[in-house]
Amino acid sequence: MALDVVTNDASALEDTDLDELASMDDAFTAGQLSKAQEDWVLITTARFGNALHGFTFSTLERIGGTPCVLIGLMSVKRSSKRDQVLRGLMNEAYHRALMAFPDEDVVVGSRFINADAREAFKDLDGLTPSPGEDAVGEERAWGRRLAKRFAIDKTYDAKTFTSASGAQDGYLDFETSSPEKLDDELVDMMSKIPAKKGGAMVVYGWTMAEDLVKLGKR
């Protein structure tokens, strides 16, 4: 059965839709999803038949003139098809970016609470932060811009790209089926996120215009 990925306006969601999203693995509550509906413009769902396997709340916008894909909240069901679902959701995000920002380099950003979620950004360049690399001034500036956009800047530390608390009303929720394949240095870096206290890390990368043509192709 083929994966069906569809994007609509988040404002069109009804209470029954939010209940369905909340019932998937219980990653986010109906209240959190209702807030995401208010905060983000687009809702993308991924289904096999009638079964929901993943969804994303996102927005395409410019920050300081730079085109951005902001993934406010994503959740992927813990099934054997999770990798395919993650690819489908990200491919849809890239397609939307290509339609909105043709011939431009694009920043893609989200909040992470574990190393597993980095799989979503594997096709991006300049992934920041990265283990063993010290971010320079402009890279930290982008972290601050995104933290402000995600409304988590009050507890945000620019050196670690991490907000200590109050940062999990939305993040990229994904658990790998092959944890043994995760990079040890990456796991160590992400393990320092105070996730149990509601903390999250701002992570972003770039897709160059020529790469976006390939990533966003249908």
Side-chain angles (χ1 to χ4, degrees):
M1 186 177 294
L3 180 67
D4 185 26
V5 181
V6 177
T7 298
N8 291 300
D9 290 340
S11 60
L13 289 173
E14 299 181 353
D15 289 344
T16 53
D17 299 315
L18 294 173
D19 289 341
E20 180 191 24
L21 299 181
S23 69
M24 194 194 76
D25 288 336
D26 296 322
F28 297 100
T29 66
Q32 289 173 315
L33 295 171
S34 181
K35 184 178 185 302
Q37 180 186 19
E38 296 176 359
D39 291 344
W40 308 104
V41 177
L42 302 174
I43 172 66
T44 300
T45 55
R47 300 176 186 273
F48 288 102
N50 294 324
L52 180 69
H53 277 252
F55 59 88
T56 306
F57 283 91
S58 63
T59 297
L60 304 173
E61 63 185 62
R62 291 181 183 272
I63 296 179
T66 301
C68 300
V69 176
L70 303 178
I71 298 176
L73 184 155
M74 178 189 288
S75 187
V76 177
K77 189 174 182 178
R78 278 64 159 162
S79 73
S80 61
K81 299 178 180 179
R82 69 186 75 180
D83 293 335
Q84 183 182 353
V85 173
L86 182 65
R87 286 195 301 272
L89 291 172
M90 290 307 302
N91 289 346
E92 175 70 3
Y94 293 137
H95 176 72
R96 293 284 165 177
L98 179 61
M99 296 299 99
F101 310 119
D103 304 317
E104 294 187 78
D105 300 339
V106 177
V107 172
V108 183
S110 189
R111 285 166 282 177
F112 291 4
I113 65 168
N114 61 17
D116 309 43
R118 298 270 291 210
E119 177 68 15
F121 283 9
K122 67 178 182 179
D123 293 318
L124 298 178
D125 297 321
L127 204 55
T128 306
S130 288
E133 298 182 12
D134 291 327
V136 298
E138 181 58 19
E139 290 170 333
R140 291 184 182 180
W142 265 109
R144 288 191 293 269
R145 292 179 194 122
L146 292 172
K148 183 176 181 180
R149 179 60 184 85
F150 291 133
I152 59 172
D153 49 314
K154 289 184 179 180
T155 64
Y156 182 75
D157 177 67
K159 185 176 180 180
T160 63
F161 290 80
T162 301
S163 280
S165 61
Q168 290 185 19
D169 58 325
Y171 57 90
L172 205 158
D173 169 49
F174 177 76
E175 288 186 5
T176 181
S177 58
S178 304
E180 70 280 359
K181 295 181 179 180
L182 293 174
D183 179 78
D184 290 340
E185 291 185 352
L186 176 62
V187 171
D188 181 64
M189 183 185 80
M190 304 297 281
S191 69
K192 295 180 173 60
I193 301 170
K196 292 183 178 180
K197 296 181 180 180
M201 178 180 286
V202 172
V203 179
Y204 74 92
W206 293 81
T207 174
M208 302 300 103
E210 60 270 22
D211 295 328
L212 187 58
V213 171
K214 301 174 183 177
L215 293 173
K217 183 180 179 181
R218 280 186 172 174

